[in-house]
Amino acid sequence: MGSQLFSSTSMATLLVLCVLFLMPQFALCITRHHTFNIIAQNVTRLCTTKNVITVNGKFPGPRLVAREGDQVLVKVVNHVPNNITIHWHGIRQLRSGWADGPAYITQCPIQTGQAYTYNFTITGQRGTLFWHAHISWLRSTIYGPIIILPRRNETYPFGRPYKEVPIIFGEWWNVDPEAVINQALQTGGGPNVSDAYTINGLPGLLYNCSSKDTFKLKVKLGKTYLLRLINAAMNDELFFSIANHTLTVVEADAVYVKPFVTDTLVISPGQTTNVLLNTKPFSPNATFLMLASPYFTGMGTFDNSTVAAILQYQNYPSPHNKSLPLHKPTLPLFNSTLFVSNFTRKLRSLANSKFPANVPQTVDKHFFFTVGLGSSPCPTNTTCQGPNGSKFAASVNNVSFALPTKTAMLQSHFSGRSYGVYSTDFPAYPALPFNYTGTPTNNTVVGNGTKAVVLRFNASVELVMQDTSILGAESHPLHLHGFNFFVVGEGSGNFDPNCDPGKFNLVDPVERNTVGVPSGGWVAVRFLADNPGVWFMHCHFEVHTSWGLKMAWIVPDGPLPNQKLPPPPSDLPMC
């Protein structure tokens, strides 16, 4: 009798396991293993050869491809003298904050000769993201695409494309970018700008000594191509257009959007955008330039150049025919804020039954953050090249964030030993309200500290981010780690807490991880604090992050077992 019962139970268990195995969400989620070797590699661009830090000797780095639901393990081995971390930009990192990657926030850096395995599961996301170094300015050469495919047997909410192509925008310096930022921080002035923009690591034919270093996208007639656009540039928002072709925007930051057609788009550092390109049904007897140039609203210098790639129809006629006309798109002027505002307002969530927009309808915690540039005093007996002989600084609510150096914030939070590492008194509002976008104040000096905001687990948060004109109004792409947020409103001038909230879109706002705070304006976002850990938020202009335009959110564990942060992995690097 006992053996019969055991046999029946075993058979039932086996049947259940078989059913689970046959279900797509169980059977087809796999563990994907990668090894990233951080090594130096000689790379030549613009007739300049230099030794750059890469992943596996590639510039840009290798693609990381996974499906929604997959577990990803990436062993990062550091073979160079520089400390290193890798951030998986836009990955939610639900209960896997140890794998998020920002140096001194969630981990100490991986030192020379050491290794660390990043371990995370892709949950509820599909589309395009990217990975990059998250320490100093090493992401200038250490970056690559993250391609998240839908689960097997699931489709895109648009027609299946003939082919998918990553298009990664970057920047190239003829000198070492680490030397550029080190000199800027020492002198207090603005850093030198890059020598070129790149598409898939290539500057393109419009730069001197670069005609052979041009990315070519070869296409067939009458096909649909999914272009996975990634802005990995260090300090520049970019316009992008393809001559005589239109693009259909279908996704932003790995979230599907209501499709809309445009001939030009804008993409900020840290943002990704998927677009559909429909090629011509008949031979155009021409080739077409794909161009990207900067959108810039600040008062300093910037790399006012244009990167070019070529869209080439295969064998219609032969690509060896050099006499084909080359068409060139017209991009907006570098300071076309109206175009940018109109474009961002077109981005809306699908907000349907399969892909709902779960916008928090009520708010537990309100925050108002000013973001912008300021200054810090020049050290005694030193000459500085910043405003009025000071040093450039940047701040959120007048706090210029200082990274800890002896331990990472997440480690000290998890162990309950935060004293001396950070404080939890980050201001929810500016200490002294003023006319944020009016005539600049005379006092440009900002405070300094390692301060964080503590949120109750599962609290609904509304955050208004206001640009300031203290040292000139400027757009700021703000990136929040560990969360997506809904962009419920934006506007020009000063945010009006009495009138503007009534205009918020709480039905189908776009869901993102990086949003541009408009130059001389404001943006409002909402999110749910459902992910325990310490989460970095910063401007994705690397120079502004270096100057202190950053802060951290802390979310304690929730009451349930699946709402708690697990202990750190055994190979977590030590400082």
Side-chain angles (χ1 to χ4, degrees):
M1 181 71 177
S3 61
Q4 289 178 336
L5 179 61
F6 175 78
S7 177
S8 301
T9 304
S10 300
M11 287 297 293
T13 303
L14 183 60
L15 182 62
V16 168
L17 289 174
C18 287
V19 169
L20 292 180
F21 182 78
L22 291 172
M23 293 174 67
Q25 62 265 41
F26 289 94
L28 300 168
C29 296
I30 64 174
T31 299
R32 299 178 184 261
H33 296 267
H34 300 268
T35 299
F36 280 13
N37 286 299
I38 310 298
I39 60 174
Q41 179 75 33
N42 281 341
V43 176
T44 302
R45 299 289 186 270
L46 309 180
C47 284
T48 299
T49 300
K50 65 174 187 173
N51 200 242
V52 304
I53 300 176
T54 68
V55 169
N56 298 345
K58 296 182 178 180
F59 170 68
R63 299 180 190 182
L64 194 157
V65 181
R67 290 191 180 274
E68 179 188 351
D70 286 353
Q71 181 186 22
V72 179
L73 290 121
V74 186
K75 182 179 182 180
V76 177
V77 187
N78 187 5
H79 301 280
V80 299
N82 307 68
N83 288 345
I84 194 71
T85 70
I86 303 290
H87 171 51
W88 317 94
H89 183 110
I91 296 290
R92 282 292 316 274
Q93 299 292 2
L94 288 164
R95 298 179 63 240
S96 56
W98 304 109
D100 192 41
Y104 303 108
I105 302 296
T106 59
Q107 67 167 99
C108 295
I110 307 167
Q111 298 176 33
T112 306
Q114 294 184 345
Y116 176 51
T117 298
Y118 292 89
N119 182 353
F120 55 90
T121 297
I122 298 171
T123 305
Q125 294 180 280
R126 77 292 301 164
T128 303
L129 297 169
F130 73 118
W131 56 263
H132 61 78
H134 212 302
I135 183 169
S136 191
W137 277 26
L138 293 183
R139 78 174 179 90
S140 60
T141 55
I142 300 179
Y143 62 86
I146 300 176
I147 296 170
I148 308 172
L149 302 172
R151 296 180 187 273
R152 287 199 188 275
N153 304 321
E154 291 192 2
T155 60
Y156 297 126
F158 45 83
R160 183 178 179 181
Y162 171 72
K163 192 175 182 181
E164 303 183 6
V165 183
I167 303 285
I168 313 176
F169 305 108
E171 290 180 75
W172 172 264
W173 276 262
N174 285 331
V175 297
D176 180 8
E178 290 295 280
V180 170
I181 186 56
N182 289 340
Q183 180 187 35
L185 294 177
Q186 185 176 357
T187 65
N192 292 334
V193 300
S194 58
D195 294 284
Y197 299 109
T198 59
I199 290 179
N200 291 348
L202 302 173
L205 52 88
L206 300 184
Y207 291 103
N208 289 334
C209 193
S210 190
S211 59
K212 65 179 178 58
D213 291 327
T214 301
F215 174 71
K216 292 183 179 179
L217 175 58
K218 296 182 179 180
V219 297
K220 294 183 177 181
L221 294 176
K223 300 292 186 182
T224 299
Y225 291 78
L226 178 67
L227 305 184
R228 297 176 175 271
L229 307 179
I230 299 166
N231 190 347
M234 298 287 283
N235 293 308
D236 290 282
E237 300 175 274
L238 295 167
F239 296 116
F240 175 72
S241 184
I242 303 176
N244 295 12
H245 291 74
T246 57
L247 303 169
T248 303
V249 178
V250 293
E251 179 247 295
D253 290 2
V255 182
Y256 298 131
V257 298
K258 289 184 172 70
F260 66 92
V261 177
T262 183
D263 57 9
T264 304
L265 57 83
V266 64
I267 183 168
S268 296
Q271 290 184 338
T272 58
T273 307
N274 279 4
V275 298
L276 298 176
L277 166 69
N278 292 316
T279 59
K280 298 181 181 301
F282 305 106
S283 175
N285 290 321
T287 53
F288 304 90
L289 284 180
M290 306 191 291
L291 299 184
S293 66
Y295 166 56
F296 183 77
T297 58
M299 299 183 69
T301 57
F302 67 104
D303 181 358
N304 192 13
S305 64
T306 302
V307 57
I310 291 177
L311 179 72
Q312 184 178 82
Y313 282 76
Q314 292 181 347
N315 303 321
Y316 297 100
S318 167
H320 301 295
N321 186 343
K322 305 268 186 190
S323 63
L324 286 178
L326 183 63
H327 294 292
K328 181 178 180 181
T330 300
L331 293 171
L333 295 175
F334 72 87
N335 57 355
S336 299
T337 56
L338 181 60
F339 174 91
V340 173
S341 177
N342 289 337
F343 179 84
T344 56
R345 283 184 168 88
K346 294 176 184 175
L347 292 164
R348 300 292 182 94
S349 289
L350 277 182
N352 59 25
S353 57
K354 187 171 182 180
F355 302 105
N358 296 316
V359 192
Q361 298 296 308
T362 59
V363 175
D364 299 321
K365 295 289 292 184
H366 291 265
F367 295 91
F368 182 84
F369 287 0
T370 57
V371 296
L373 303 186
S375 66
S376 59
C378 190
T380 307
N381 298 324
T382 304
T383 301
C384 293
Q385 298 173 3
N388 299 316
S390 66
K391 287 191 165 191
F392 269 111
S395 68
V396 181
N397 274 357
N398 209 48
V399 178
S400 186
F401 188 88
L403 286 173
T405 56
K406 295 182 179 178
T407 187
M409 291 179 69
L410 184 59
Q411 291 169 276
S412 57
H413 161 70
F414 187 85
S415 65
R417 295 192 290 268
S418 62
Y419 180 78
V421 179
Y422 65 86
S423 62
T424 57
D425 57 346
F426 190 91
Y429 295 88
L432 296 171
F434 60 98
N435 183 1
Y436 307 111
T437 55
T439 303
T441 62
N442 291 328
N443 182 10
T444 64
V445 177
V446 303
N448 186 274
T450 309
K451 300 174 182 288
V453 172
V454 178
L455 297 169
R456 176 179 56 81
F457 182 83
N458 238 20
S460 56
V461 177
E462 181 178 288
L463 168 63
V464 176
M465 292 178 282
Q466 171 75 59
D467 182 38
T468 69
S469 58
I470 293 175
L471 285 177
E474 185 169 359
S475 174
H476 298 279
L478 264 291
H479 171 50
L480 175 61
H481 291 227
F483 300 93
N484 281 354
F485 49 72
F486 291 95
V487 184
V488 296
E490 67 173 86
S492 59
N494 295 337
F495 175 73
D496 186 336
N498 297 315
C499 296
D500 288 326
K503 306 170 190 173
F504 285 176
N505 175 10
L506 303 180
V507 178
D508 64 347
V510 68
E511 184 179 350
R512 307 208 72 144
N513 63 63
T514 304
V515 67
V517 180
S519 176
W522 56 270
V523 66
V525 305
R526 288 187 180 183
F527 65 95
L528 197 65
D530 60 354
N531 195 5
V534 177
W535 304 109
F536 206 25
M537 190 177 81
H538 61 97
C539 183
H540 226 270
F541 289 153
E542 209 63 37
V543 60
H544 291 175
T545 294
S546 299
W547 285 341
L549 209 165
K550 48 196 175 186
M551 55 83 65
W553 304 87
I554 297 176
V555 180
D557 287 346
L560 302 177
N562 65 348
Q563 297 171 338
K564 299 183 187 302
L565 180 70
S570 59
D571 62 340
L572 186 73
M574 304 301 291
C575 288

